[in-house]
Amino acid sequence: MRPFLLSLFLLIFAGLAQAQTLPPDLVHAGYNWDVGRKQRLPITKEDAELPAIILRDFTSLEYYYDKSRKDLRLFTTEHRIVRVNTSDGIERFNKIVVPVLESGAPVDIKARTISPRGEVHEVKAADMKELKDQEGGRGFRVFAVDGVEKGSEVEYFYTRERNFNHFGYEVLQSETAARDVVFELISPEALTFEARVYHGPAVTVDTTMAGRRALRLTLKSVPALREEAFANVQAQRMRVHYKLAYMANKGQVRQFTWADASQFVYRNMTSLSKDDVKAVAKVLAAAKLPTSGPLPERIAAAENYVKLNFNLDENASPSLTQVVATHNAPEGGFVHLLAAIYRTLGIDYELVVTSSRATNPFDSSFDTWDYLDNFALYFPGTGQYLAPGRPDYRYGMLPAEWTANSGLFIKGVTLGTIESAVGKVKEIPALDADKSPQNIDVTVAFAPDLSNSTLQLRQTLGGYPALQIQPFWAMIPEAKRTELMQQLQKGVVADATNFQKTTVRNVERGLSPLDKPFIIEGQLDSPSLLDKAGPRYLFKIGTLLGPQTELYQKEERQFDVENDNNRRYLRTIRFEVPAGYTVRNLNDLNVDVKAGGDAAKPDYDFKSSYVQQGQTITVTVDENYRQIRWPKADFEAFRAVVNASANWNKVVLVLDKKS
């Protein structure tokens, strides 16, 4: 859940005062390690060859009713035992990172190491060297553990208070293999929590704790998660999401449902005080937005004005009066302001809240508000979306990881004189491949003595490829732009020299890459595109695709294919065959590889061909990825398309001298 929405939730549903000491009657208040253990835990020969292995991974969350404060608090106890076998393993685990409350709530922590010789070195909390974390020292306490050597065990546990919330999740899997993995959630009997485990077994109800409820998951081992191309590996981690589902004083009424979330979000993102109404009127008076004309243009005009005149600042106040007064706003402020503007202009919209499928794909069947991370607006009149709090995006585009994902769609309804909201979970479609082109158009002219090649190169980036540079071009110092333009052209022609006539187009602030793609074009030389090999020349035409991904993994595929976004690559290459020469292997330019869909429009394809008119040859290479997901059971078909591009990248035409 986004920080600004979480803060609203906390203000409404939970007390924020922090205690100075940990309560002595927590379930794990007396938690300790095996004090008599002097030797390391046994591991297998295979485990000893890993950089590190986690031998104990215990996490306990406890919802605790504080009688003195008469409110609920949340504590966690975590215990890790890690065998470090290499320098890399030591580097990763010789620091203990403890998330803490900004109020400075206490942390009860103990740490020790056990050497390969059975030497036990305990590090007291008072003796630990506290370091500042790389994000500036806020939100974490980082402790260094001295004396760690290869083959040592690093063991630590701590109990700390956490920000109170009625839902959350814990990750149970990382790139390090783990043994003896335990997760538990403890709560007072009056509160019933539910949990959903992803990529692992279900939790069980523990009935052994008198006076409390407990959910538990115990795993003998959890394998390491390795990186894999064309997959959202973070989303594939074994993890457990949990939420408060029932409260004794509410009977059998389910809590924190999608309907509840719809009411909560709509109320907080659309309600306006008298001062807010005045602030919005002030913005509209300054903006002079069109009140008639094509609906898409009216939507885009309002968005563009706000995003060009207000700064994104997550530390700013979300209050509309403050937003308008300071022209600074957190994401929630942008959502609130644009929603108010569209409503005033009579433009129908729905609020959309979703997660990132790159880490936590939205699960409509488990109504945890932990998926309510990212805000979008949906316009039923056009079927299009915009991301209010993302100044780099424009109408018609959302961050790719929000799409091909479900989201909660919320619209206002009026019942008599009462304004309310209803919500429904629906799919957010991905942008079509044609909307995200990454095209190359190049004309190659060989020097008369074939010692050099001069290229007229144009690159066209639309949709998602353009977002890497187009929104930020105006902020790049003039002195750096030439260097950047040359780097972009070297991305296609690595040995490019003698840059001339280099220009960029469509770089003004506020442009949409769907309407006006980023274009860079110019003239350059390539001394090595053509190589002499005895009486013949070798034209490395394949390199003009730019670097390509090679998908030659040896391990068995772990996950289904998942692309970041749909996309299209269209390349056109023209060249004149030098006088007195012929091309021996033009048929190497003809490739046609497809996967899925129908023959006319497959899900994925790589197709290249050429046309020759006299000495002029024009080559067209068209590569498309039209679906986000593809099953791993048919991975070879997808890999064939990717590798067709990589193989074409190596194509070399042989120019033979005519006899």
mmCIF file of all heavy atoms in Angstrom, residues 616-652:
data_model
loop_
_atom_site.group_PDB
_atom_site.id
_atom_site.type_symbol
_atom_site.label_atom_id
_atom_site.label_comp_id
_atom_site.label_asym_id
_atom_site.label_seq_id
_atom_site.Cartn_x
_atom_site.Cartn_y
_atom_site.Cartn_z
ATOM 1 N N THR A 616 20.729 -2.144 -55.928
ATOM 2 C CA THR A 616 20.179 -1.686 -54.651
ATOM 3 C C THR A 616 19.432 -2.824 -53.958
ATOM 4 O O THR A 616 18.553 -3.450 -54.559
ATOM 5 C CB THR A 616 19.224 -0.497 -54.847
ATOM 6 O OG1 THR A 616 19.922 0.565 -55.504
ATOM 7 C CG2 THR A 616 18.696 -0.012 -53.508
ATOM 8 N N ILE A 617 19.796 -3.063 -52.718
ATOM 9 C CA ILE A 617 19.138 -4.098 -51.921
ATOM 10 C C ILE A 617 18.498 -3.436 -50.696
ATOM 11 O O ILE A 617 19.139 -2.657 -49.986
ATOM 12 C CB ILE A 617 20.132 -5.179 -51.482
ATOM 13 C CG1 ILE A 617 20.652 -5.933 -52.718
ATOM 14 C CG2 ILE A 617 19.483 -6.150 -50.493
ATOM 15 C CD1 ILE A 617 21.699 -6.978 -52.406
ATOM 16 N N THR A 618 17.223 -3.742 -50.488
ATOM 17 C CA THR A 618 16.491 -3.243 -49.314
ATOM 18 C C THR A 618 16.073 -4.433 -48.469
ATOM 19 O O THR A 618 15.400 -5.354 -48.956
ATOM 20 C CB THR A 618 15.251 -2.447 -49.729
ATOM 21 O OG1 THR A 618 15.655 -1.343 -50.555
ATOM 22 C CG2 THR A 618 14.528 -1.910 -48.496
ATOM 23 N N VAL A 619 16.492 -4.416 -47.225
ATOM 24 C CA VAL A 619 16.207 -5.507 -46.294
ATOM 25 C C VAL A 619 15.204 -5.015 -45.252
ATOM 26 O O VAL A 619 15.353 -3.915 -44.704
ATOM 27 C CB VAL A 619 17.493 -5.980 -45.582
ATOM 28 C CG1 VAL A 619 17.199 -7.162 -44.667
ATOM 29 C CG2 VAL A 619 18.562 -6.335 -46.612
ATOM 30 N N THR A 620 14.205 -5.815 -44.984
ATOM 31 C CA THR A 620 13.209 -5.494 -43.961
ATOM 32 C C THR A 620 13.213 -6.590 -42.899
ATOM 33 O O THR A 620 13.112 -7.783 -43.228
ATOM 34 C CB THR A 620 11.805 -5.371 -44.561
ATOM 35 O OG1 THR A 620 11.819 -4.363 -45.580
ATOM 36 C CG2 THR A 620 10.795 -4.987 -43.497
ATOM 37 N N VAL A 621 13.334 -6.167 -41.652
ATOM 38 C CA VAL A 621 13.319 -7.103 -40.523
ATOM 39 C C VAL A 621 12.212 -6.661 -39.582
ATOM 40 O O VAL A 621 12.241 -5.541 -39.060
ATOM 41 C CB VAL A 621 14.668 -7.121 -39.779
ATOM 42 C CG1 VAL A 621 14.629 -8.137 -38.648
ATOM 43 C CG2 VAL A 621 15.808 -7.423 -40.736
ATOM 44 N N ASP A 622 11.239 -7.526 -39.378
ATOM 45 C CA ASP A 622 10.075 -7.193 -38.548
ATOM 46 C C ASP A 622 9.974 -8.220 -37.415
ATOM 47 O O ASP A 622 9.847 -9.423 -37.668
ATOM 48 C CB ASP A 622 8.807 -7.223 -39.409
ATOM 49 C CG ASP A 622 7.630 -6.544 -38.731
ATOM 50 O OD1 ASP A 622 7.794 -6.054 -37.599
ATOM 51 O OD2 ASP A 622 6.538 -6.505 -39.331
ATOM 52 N N GLU A 623 10.035 -7.728 -36.181
ATOM 53 C CA GLU A 623 10.024 -8.606 -35.002
ATOM 54 C C GLU A 623 8.952 -8.107 -34.039
ATOM 55 O O GLU A 623 8.911 -6.918 -33.705
ATOM 56 C CB GLU A 623 11.397 -8.582 -34.334
ATOM 57 C CG GLU A 623 11.536 -9.503 -33.140
ATOM 58 C CD GLU A 623 12.944 -9.449 -32.546
ATOM 59 O OE1 GLU A 623 13.774 -8.662 -33.038
ATOM 60 O OE2 GLU A 623 13.191 -10.195 -31.577
ATOM 61 N N ASN A 624 8.072 -9.001 -33.582
ATOM 62 C CA ASN A 624 6.933 -8.599 -32.765
ATOM 63 C C ASN A 624 6.758 -9.510 -31.550
ATOM 64 O O ASN A 624 6.907 -10.730 -31.651
ATOM 65 C CB ASN A 624 5.646 -8.646 -33.595
ATOM 66 C CG ASN A 624 5.660 -7.669 -34.746
ATOM 67 O OD1 ASN A 624 5.309 -6.506 -34.594
ATOM 68 N ND2 ASN A 624 6.071 -8.138 -35.927
ATOM 69 N N TYR A 625 6.404 -8.874 -30.441
ATOM 70 C CA TYR A 625 6.044 -9.585 -29.210
ATOM 71 C C TYR A 625 4.688 -9.047 -28.787
ATOM 72 O O TYR A 625 4.581 -7.984 -28.186
ATOM 73 C CB TYR A 625 7.106 -9.374 -28.137
ATOM 74 C CG TYR A 625 8.438 -9.964 -28.529
ATOM 75 C CD1 TYR A 625 9.327 -9.255 -29.331
ATOM 76 C CD2 TYR A 625 8.791 -11.258 -28.151
ATOM 77 C CE1 TYR A 625 10.535 -9.802 -29.732
ATOM 78 C CE2 TYR A 625 9.995 -11.820 -28.543
ATOM 79 C CZ TYR A 625 10.859 -11.082 -29.334
ATOM 80 O OH TYR A 625 12.058 -11.633 -29.734
ATOM 81 N N ARG A 626 3.625 -9.803 -29.133
ATOM 82 C CA ARG A 626 2.262 -9.298 -29.007
ATOM 83 C C ARG A 626 1.521 -9.823 -27.780
ATOM 84 O O ARG A 626 0.361 -9.462 -27.567
ATOM 85 C CB ARG A 626 1.460 -9.659 -30.264
ATOM 86 C CG ARG A 626 2.015 -9.067 -31.558
ATOM 87 C CD ARG A 626 1.105 -9.351 -32.729
ATOM 88 N NE ARG A 626 1.598 -8.757 -33.968
ATOM 89 C CZ ARG A 626 2.348 -9.383 -34.854
ATOM 90 N NH1 ARG A 626 2.705 -10.655 -34.633
ATOM 91 N NH2 ARG A 626 2.744 -8.779 -35.950
ATOM 92 N N GLN A 627 2.153 -10.684 -27.000
ATOM 93 C CA GLN A 627 1.527 -11.206 -25.791
ATOM 94 C C GLN A 627 2.496 -11.085 -24.628
ATOM 95 O O GLN A 627 3.702 -11.298 -24.792
ATOM 96 C CB GLN A 627 1.134 -12.679 -25.968
ATOM 97 C CG GLN A 627 0.008 -12.914 -26.971
ATOM 98 C CD GLN A 627 -1.318 -12.349 -26.509
ATOM 99 O OE1 GLN A 627 -1.568 -12.227 -25.314
ATOM 100 N NE2 GLN A 627 -2.178 -11.994 -27.449
ATOM 101 N N ILE A 628 1.969 -10.758 -23.457
ATOM 102 C CA ILE A 628 2.813 -10.611 -22.275
ATOM 103 C C ILE A 628 3.283 -11.976 -21.775
ATOM 104 O O ILE A 628 4.460 -12.153 -21.442
ATOM 105 C CB ILE A 628 2.051 -9.875 -21.156
ATOM 106 C CG1 ILE A 628 1.708 -8.437 -21.598
ATOM 107 C CG2 ILE A 628 2.863 -9.862 -19.861
ATOM 108 C CD1 ILE A 628 2.908 -7.544 -21.810
ATOM 109 N N ARG A 629 2.401 -12.959 -21.762
ATOM 110 C CA ARG A 629 2.721 -14.248 -21.134
ATOM 111 C C ARG A 629 2.717 -15.387 -22.150
ATOM 112 O O ARG A 629 1.990 -15.355 -23.143
ATOM 113 C CB ARG A 629 1.733 -14.544 -20.007
ATOM 114 C CG ARG A 629 1.792 -13.510 -18.885
ATOM 115 C CD ARG A 629 0.770 -13.835 -17.793
ATOM 116 N NE ARG A 629 0.871 -12.893 -16.686
ATOM 117 C CZ ARG A 629 0.190 -11.751 -16.607
ATOM 118 N NH1 ARG A 629 -0.639 -11.411 -17.596
ATOM 119 N NH2 ARG A 629 0.322 -10.949 -15.578
ATOM 120 N N TRP A 630 3.534 -16.391 -21.835
ATOM 121 C CA TRP A 630 3.653 -17.579 -22.689
ATOM 122 C C TRP A 630 4.015 -18.752 -21.779
ATOM 123 O O TRP A 630 4.892 -18.621 -20.916
ATOM 124 C CB TRP A 630 4.737 -17.362 -23.744
ATOM 125 C CG TRP A 630 4.923 -18.493 -24.714
ATOM 126 C CD1 TRP A 630 5.908 -19.434 -24.699
ATOM 127 C CD2 TRP A 630 4.093 -18.801 -25.831
ATOM 128 N NE1 TRP A 630 5.772 -20.298 -25.745
ATOM 129 C CE2 TRP A 630 4.644 -19.930 -26.462
ATOM 130 C CE3 TRP A 630 2.944 -18.233 -26.359
ATOM 131 C CZ2 TRP A 630 4.077 -20.502 -27.592
ATOM 132 C CZ3 TRP A 630 2.381 -18.801 -27.499
ATOM 133 C CH2 TRP A 630 2.945 -19.916 -28.103
ATOM 134 N N PRO A 631 3.372 -19.914 -21.940
ATOM 135 C CA PRO A 631 3.610 -21.033 -21.002
ATOM 136 C C PRO A 631 4.995 -21.650 -21.164
ATOM 137 O O PRO A 631 5.487 -21.815 -22.291
ATOM 138 C CB PRO A 631 2.512 -22.025 -21.368
ATOM 139 C CG PRO A 631 2.170 -21.714 -22.791
ATOM 140 C CD PRO A 631 2.333 -20.228 -22.932
ATOM 141 N N LYS A 632 5.589 -22.001 -20.040
ATOM 142 C CA LYS A 632 6.919 -22.605 -20.101
ATOM 143 C C LYS A 632 6.887 -23.985 -20.760
ATOM 144 O O LYS A 632 7.909 -24.464 -21.244
ATOM 145 C CB LYS A 632 7.536 -22.701 -18.711
ATOM 146 C CG LYS A 632 6.872 -23.680 -17.758
ATOM 147 C CD LYS A 632 7.625 -23.746 -16.438
ATOM 148 C CE LYS A 632 6.987 -24.726 -15.477
ATOM 149 N NZ LYS A 632 7.723 -24.799 -14.186
ATOM 150 N N ALA A 633 5.710 -24.613 -20.775
ATOM 151 C CA ALA A 633 5.597 -25.920 -21.428
ATOM 152 C C ALA A 633 5.915 -25.829 -22.915
ATOM 153 O O ALA A 633 6.341 -26.806 -23.532
ATOM 154 C CB ALA A 633 4.189 -26.482 -21.229
ATOM 155 N N ASP A 634 5.717 -24.645 -23.498
ATOM 156 C CA ASP A 634 6.019 -24.437 -24.914
ATOM 157 C C ASP A 634 7.119 -23.391 -25.063
ATOM 158 O O ASP A 634 7.121 -22.585 -26.001
ATOM 159 C CB ASP A 634 4.749 -23.992 -25.648
ATOM 160 C CG ASP A 634 4.852 -24.194 -27.155
ATOM 161 O OD1 ASP A 634 5.782 -24.902 -27.603
ATOM 162 O OD2 ASP A 634 4.017 -23.634 -27.885
ATOM 163 N N PHE A 635 8.067 -23.429 -24.136
ATOM 164 C CA PHE A 635 9.119 -22.421 -24.093
ATOM 165 C C PHE A 635 9.975 -22.429 -25.352
ATOM 166 O O PHE A 635 10.431 -21.380 -25.818
ATOM 167 C CB PHE A 635 9.998 -22.658 -22.860
ATOM 168 C CG PHE A 635 11.165 -21.720 -22.754
ATOM 169 C CD1 PHE A 635 10.967 -20.364 -22.586
ATOM 170 C CD2 PHE A 635 12.467 -22.199 -22.831
ATOM 171 C CE1 PHE A 635 12.038 -19.494 -22.485
ATOM 172 C CE2 PHE A 635 13.545 -21.334 -22.730
ATOM 173 C CZ PHE A 635 13.330 -19.975 -22.552
ATOM 174 N N GLU A 636 10.197 -23.586 -25.937
ATOM 175 C CA GLU A 636 11.081 -23.686 -27.098
ATOM 176 C C GLU A 636 10.592 -22.839 -28.261
ATOM 177 O O GLU A 636 11.389 -22.273 -29.006
ATOM 178 C CB GLU A 636 11.247 -25.139 -27.522
ATOM 179 C CG GLU A 636 12.040 -25.979 -26.536
ATOM 180 C CD GLU A 636 13.430 -25.417 -26.256
ATOM 181 O OE1 GLU A 636 14.068 -24.909 -27.208
ATOM 182 O OE2 GLU A 636 13.867 -25.450 -25.093
ATOM 183 N N ALA A 637 9.273 -22.738 -28.426
ATOM 184 C CA ALA A 637 8.732 -21.935 -29.523
ATOM 185 C C ALA A 637 9.043 -20.461 -29.312
ATOM 186 O O ALA A 637 9.401 -19.744 -30.260
ATOM 187 C CB ALA A 637 7.223 -22.153 -29.634
ATOM 188 N N PHE A 638 8.908 -19.997 -28.082
ATOM 189 C CA PHE A 638 9.249 -18.603 -27.777
ATOM 190 C C PHE A 638 10.743 -18.380 -27.938
ATOM 191 O O PHE A 638 11.178 -17.377 -28.520
ATOM 192 C CB PHE A 638 8.818 -18.269 -26.350
ATOM 193 C CG PHE A 638 9.211 -16.888 -25.902
ATOM 194 C CD1 PHE A 638 8.451 -15.788 -26.256
ATOM 195 C CD2 PHE A 638 10.352 -16.682 -25.131
ATOM 196 C CE1 PHE A 638 8.817 -14.509 -25.855
ATOM 197 C CE2 PHE A 638 10.729 -15.416 -24.732
ATOM 198 C CZ PHE A 638 9.951 -14.324 -25.094
ATOM 199 N N ARG A 639 11.536 -19.294 -27.436
ATOM 200 C CA ARG A 639 12.989 -19.160 -27.532
ATOM 201 C C ARG A 639 13.440 -19.106 -28.995
ATOM 202 O O ARG A 639 14.387 -18.385 -29.332
ATOM 203 C CB ARG A 639 13.676 -20.307 -26.799
ATOM 204 C CG ARG A 639 15.188 -20.262 -26.933
ATOM 205 C CD ARG A 639 15.903 -20.986 -25.842
ATOM 206 N NE ARG A 639 15.639 -22.402 -25.782
ATOM 207 C CZ ARG A 639 16.225 -23.214 -24.890
ATOM 208 N NH1 ARG A 639 17.080 -22.730 -24.013
ATOM 209 N NH2 ARG A 639 15.936 -24.496 -24.871
ATOM 210 N N ALA A 640 12.765 -19.838 -29.865
ATOM 211 C CA ALA A 640 13.146 -19.844 -31.278
ATOM 212 C C ALA A 640 13.016 -18.447 -31.884
ATOM 213 O O ALA A 640 13.842 -18.032 -32.702
ATOM 214 C CB ALA A 640 12.292 -20.843 -32.050
ATOM 215 N N VAL A 641 11.982 -17.698 -31.466
ATOM 216 C CA VAL A 641 11.804 -16.342 -31.982
ATOM 217 C C VAL A 641 12.901 -15.427 -31.467
ATOM 218 O O VAL A 641 13.510 -14.655 -32.222
ATOM 219 C CB VAL A 641 10.411 -15.799 -31.600
ATOM 220 C CG1 VAL A 641 10.279 -14.335 -32.020
ATOM 221 C CG2 VAL A 641 9.315 -16.635 -32.242
ATOM 222 N N VAL A 642 13.166 -15.489 -30.167
ATOM 223 C CA VAL A 642 14.209 -14.649 -29.582
ATOM 224 C C VAL A 642 15.559 -14.954 -30.214
ATOM 225 O O VAL A 642 16.323 -14.051 -30.574
ATOM 226 C CB VAL A 642 14.266 -14.845 -28.057
ATOM 227 C CG1 VAL A 642 15.439 -14.065 -27.456
ATOM 228 C CG2 VAL A 642 12.959 -14.409 -27.414
ATOM 229 N N ASN A 643 15.850 -16.227 -30.374
ATOM 230 C CA ASN A 643 17.153 -16.607 -30.926
ATOM 231 C C ASN A 643 17.251 -16.352 -32.421
ATOM 232 O O ASN A 643 18.354 -16.220 -32.962
ATOM 233 C CB ASN A 643 17.443 -18.073 -30.618
ATOM 234 C CG ASN A 643 17.842 -18.272 -29.166
ATOM 235 O OD1 ASN A 643 18.140 -17.311 -28.456
ATOM 236 N ND2 ASN A 643 17.837 -19.514 -28.712
ATOM 237 N N ALA A 644 16.113 -16.275 -33.102
ATOM 238 C CA ALA A 644 16.154 -15.902 -34.518
ATOM 239 C C ALA A 644 16.743 -14.506 -34.663
ATOM 240 O O ALA A 644 17.544 -14.235 -35.566
ATOM 241 C CB ALA A 644 14.753 -15.959 -35.118
ATOM 242 N N SER A 645 16.359 -13.631 -33.759
ATOM 243 C CA SER A 645 16.922 -12.277 -33.767
ATOM 244 C C SER A 645 18.411 -12.306 -33.445
ATOM 245 O O SER A 645 19.215 -11.633 -34.099
ATOM 246 C CB SER A 645 16.174 -11.409 -32.759
ATOM 247 O OG SER A 645 16.748 -10.137 -32.658
ATOM 248 N N ALA A 646 18.768 -13.077 -32.417
ATOM 249 C CA ALA A 646 20.182 -13.173 -32.037
ATOM 250 C C ALA A 646 21.013 -13.779 -33.161
ATOM 251 O O ALA A 646 22.157 -13.357 -33.406
ATOM 252 C CB ALA A 646 20.324 -14.005 -30.764
ATOM 253 N N ASN A 647 20.464 -14.753 -33.858
ATOM 254 C CA ASN A 647 21.198 -15.383 -34.960
ATOM 255 C C ASN A 647 21.337 -14.433 -36.152
ATOM 256 O O ASN A 647 22.384 -14.381 -36.802
ATOM 257 C CB ASN A 647 20.484 -16.669 -35.391
ATOM 258 C CG ASN A 647 20.534 -17.747 -34.318
ATOM 259 O OD1 ASN A 647 21.415 -17.726 -33.455
ATOM 260 N ND2 ASN A 647 19.583 -18.664 -34.341
ATOM 261 N N TRP A 648 20.277 -13.686 -36.439
ATOM 262 C CA TRP A 648 20.343 -12.734 -37.549
ATOM 263 C C TRP A 648 21.385 -11.660 -37.259
ATOM 264 O O TRP A 648 22.027 -11.135 -38.172
ATOM 265 C CB TRP A 648 18.972 -12.095 -37.763
ATOM 266 C CG TRP A 648 18.719 -11.647 -39.179
ATOM 267 C CD1 TRP A 648 18.062 -12.342 -40.147
ATOM 268 C CD2 TRP A 648 19.103 -10.399 -39.768
ATOM 269 N NE1 TRP A 648 18.025 -11.615 -41.311
ATOM 270 C CE2 TRP A 648 18.658 -10.407 -41.112
ATOM 271 C CE3 TRP A 648 19.782 -9.286 -39.322
ATOM 272 C CZ2 TRP A 648 18.859 -9.362 -41.992
ATOM 273 C CZ3 TRP A 648 20.000 -8.219 -40.195
ATOM 274 C CH2 TRP A 648 19.541 -8.258 -41.508
ATOM 275 N N ASN A 649 21.553 -11.348 -35.997
ATOM 276 C CA ASN A 649 22.550 -10.373 -35.574
ATOM 277 C C ASN A 649 23.963 -10.771 -36.018
ATOM 278 O O ASN A 649 24.856 -9.925 -36.108
ATOM 279 C CB ASN A 649 22.486 -10.246 -34.048
ATOM 280 C CG ASN A 649 23.194 -9.035 -33.505
ATOM 281 O OD1 ASN A 649 23.881 -9.102 -32.496
ATOM 282 N ND2 ASN A 649 23.041 -7.893 -34.148
ATOM 283 N N LYS A 650 24.147 -12.051 -36.311
ATOM 284 C CA LYS A 650 25.463 -12.565 -36.708
ATOM 285 C C LYS A 650 25.591 -12.754 -38.224
ATOM 286 O O LYS A 650 26.635 -13.222 -38.706
ATOM 287 C CB LYS A 650 25.734 -13.900 -36.008
ATOM 288 C CG LYS A 650 25.682 -13.825 -34.487
ATOM 289 C CD LYS A 650 25.936 -15.201 -33.877
ATOM 290 C CE LYS A 650 25.884 -15.183 -32.361
ATOM 291 N NZ LYS A 650 24.537 -14.928 -31.823
ATOM 292 N N VAL A 651 24.551 -12.403 -38.971
ATOM 293 C CA VAL A 651 24.582 -12.611 -40.426
ATOM 294 C C VAL A 651 25.655 -11.728 -41.069
ATOM 295 O O VAL A 651 25.741 -10.522 -40.796
ATOM 296 C CB VAL A 651 23.208 -12.320 -41.062
ATOM 297 C CG1 VAL A 651 23.315 -12.297 -42.590
ATOM 298 C CG2 VAL A 651 22.195 -13.370 -40.625
ATOM 299 N N VAL A 652 26.467 -12.337 -41.917
ATOM 300 C CA VAL A 652 27.514 -11.634 -42.657
ATOM 301 C C VAL A 652 27.322 -11.939 -44.143
ATOM 302 O O VAL A 652 27.267 -13.113 -44.538
ATOM 303 C CB VAL A 652 28.922 -12.072 -42.205
ATOM 304 C CG1 VAL A 652 29.986 -11.400 -43.060
ATOM 305 C CG2 VAL A 652 29.128 -11.770 -40.725
#
